[in-house]
Amino acid sequence: GFLLMGLPIGLVAADIIAARLLTSRLQRRIIAPAALMSFAPLAAFAASPGLIPAVALLAASGLGSAWTAGIDSLLIDTAPPDLRNRTLALAGAGLMFTQGAGFALWGVAGQYLPVTVVIPLAAAAGVLTAWMLRSRRAAHSSARRHGESEDSGV
């Protein structure tokens, strides 16, 4: 039961900090670092941490959920006003679906491999994905700053 407390503690703290205390500009700037923070602490599960360190690692991972405030801010600014609510609802549903699918897939892996292997593997996959998306977004932003078209292959 105690392990289940860690992630929500970090998640609630992230929501209060990011959604309530940060400006939209800062929310957007922390998308990539926060996304990385969602996964990086989980790599420490390879060392089979005790209960208190494990709860702390999960809370740190939960803090990484602050990335969602920045994404919501981008969606609000990008979506046409008459489609904002639908856009946010669809984004939320998509996020829940992909998270559920990820938990299910890694849960299956956990049936065959030790937790000290599965959780760090999931962390590595998450860090890699966040890094690839960050790199792609950085390339896209650089192309826009230099006036290149989106069709130029960048």
Side-chain angles (χ1 to χ4, degrees):
F2 285 110
L3 284 176
L4 295 176
M5 292 181 351
L7 198 62
I9 288 169
L11 220 150
V12 169
D15 184 49
I16 291 169
I17 294 166
R20 310 284 187 260
L21 302 177
L22 298 181
T23 65
S24 290
R25 183 173 177 271
L26 284 175
Q27 289 172 350
R28 292 172 187 182
R29 291 193 69 177
I30 67 165
I31 292 172
L36 290 169
M37 185 176 176
S38 292
F39 300 105
L42 301 178
F45 276 85
S48 200
L51 178 62
I52 292 173
V55 170
L57 288 167
L58 290 169
S61 178
L63 284 171
S65 71
W67 67 270
T68 60
I71 294 293
D72 287 349
S73 173
L74 286 171
L75 286 172
I76 289 168
D77 285 352
T78 304
D82 58 325
L83 295 177
R84 282 188 186 145
N85 290 338
R86 284 188 198 169
T87 302
L88 289 170
L90 187 58
L95 176 62
M96 285 188 267
F97 174 79
T98 54
Q99 287 175 332
F103 282 125
L105 291 172
W106 289 109
V108 168
Q111 294 297 311
Y112 301 101
L113 299 169
V115 171
T116 56
V117 173
V118 173
I119 294 175
L121 280 175
V127 166
L128 179 64
T129 301
W131 186 258
M132 287 178 2
L133 292 173
R134 178 190 177 276
S135 298
R136 184 170 181 209
R137 185 167 186 258
H140 179 71
S141 295
S142 176
R144 282 192 4 205
R145 276 194 308 271
H146 290 84
E148 297 173 20
S149 107
E150 290 184 34
D151 297 329
S152 67
V154 178

